[in-house]
Amino acid sequence: EGEVRRGRVEEVTYEALLKVVTELVPDVHELVLRYVDEDGDTCLLTEQTFDDFVEQCTGGPLRVTAAGHRGRGGRLCPGKIWRHLRGEVTSELIAELMVTHGELAAAMVERKAWKLDRVAGWWPEKVRPVVALVVESLRDIPEISTCRAGLEHALDAELAGLGQAVSDLAREFVTQPVEVQRRIAEALSVHLVPLIDRLRGGRRV
């Protein structure tokens, strides 16, 4: 944390930059890259935002910050964190885990948004109430009103585009100040206790 490392990219592409960063921090898994735009806002660096990132650099060095999970073992999977919990799972504990592992979860959601669309297509009667609950829980948090509107649009469109809407929410979550992240996590966590209990038990949701 706080380390500065330098490398050289052979070509200005997202894949080339990601390769260099991975080589610079080989012990960090589930990398999440960010950059600061011209307005001073911290943005998530993805294939979709790479062109905007390059424009911000205006021919200068490509400055990014990298975060992830350090470890010599396998990658930390956010979906499996719950199974290693001990004792009673409370909404407070879930909220803390959401803030602590938000970056890893956002990266995972972005990679697997297409799977969420598939699940929504298979079991819309199960997915729709969950999405509606999320929308209602976030109604009093103005910082993510745009993302909430995206979820509402997915509800109105028979869940079409749900994966992208959830991915947008996850990306927006990790760019917020910690105090806002906690408000979001606390709003959602109370509804996640039954789901986490089922994951801990190894049962399919």
Side-chain angles (χ1 to χ4, degrees), residues 44-48 105-114 167 170-171:
L44 196 66
L45 180 58
T46 66
E47 290 185 78
Q48 290 72 34
M108 182 186 71
V109 169
E110 187 167 19
R111 290 197 311 273
K112 298 185 178 182
W114 65 273
S167 180
R171 289 201 305 269

Side-chain angles (χ1 to χ4, degrees), residues 135-150:
V135 169
E136 185 61 32
S137 299
L138 300 178
R139 194 167 299 282
D140 295 328
I141 304 178
E143 291 86 350
I144 54 171
S145 58
T146 300
C147 294
R148 189 182 69 247

Side-chain angles (χ1 to χ4, degrees), residues 89-105:
V89 176
T90 64
S91 58
E92 292 80 9
L93 177 59
I94 294 174
E96 186 62 32
L97 286 172
M98 289 176 66
V99 173
T100 303
H101 298 290
E103 294 175 344
L104 299 180

Side-chain angles (χ1 to χ4, degrees), residues 42-109:
T42 301
C43 306
L44 196 66
L45 180 58
T46 66
E47 290 185 78
Q48 290 72 34
T49 63
F50 186 76
D51 289 341
D52 175 69
F53 162 66
V54 173
E55 289 181 9
Q56 309 297 322
C57 298
T58 59
L62 305 176
R63 300 180 185 275
V64 299
T65 59
H69 169 66
R70 286 184 183 273
R72 295 171 57 190
R75 293 183 174 181
L76 177 65
C77 175
K80 294 180 180 178
I81 292 172
W82 320 116
R83 297 187 181 183
H84 298 286
L85 296 176
R86 297 293 182 267
E88 181 184 3
V89 176
T90 64
S91 58
E92 292 80 9
L93 177 59
I94 294 174
E96 186 62 32
L97 286 172
M98 289 176 66
V99 173
T100 303
H101 298 290
E103 294 175 344
L104 299 180
M108 182 186 71
V109 169

Side-chain angles (χ1 to χ4, degrees), residues 152-184:
E152 290 175 333
H153 178 76
L155 281 174
D156 293 339
E158 301 298 326
L159 300 179
L162 178 62
Q164 184 61 54
V166 173
S167 180
D168 290 344
L169 175 61
R171 289 201 305 269
E172 185 63 27
F173 175 83
V174 298
T175 64
Q176 293 294 328
V178 173
E179 58 270 20
V180 178
Q181 289 186 11
R182 291 193 182 281
R183 284 168 50 207
I184 297 170

Side-chain angles (χ1 to χ4, degrees), residues 4 11 29 36 60 65-66 82 106 109 111 115 126 133 170 173:
V4 177
E11 55 181 335
H29 307 293
V36 178
T65 59
W82 320 116
V109 169
R111 290 197 311 273
K115 286 190 175 181
K126 293 183 178 181
L133 191 60
F173 175 83

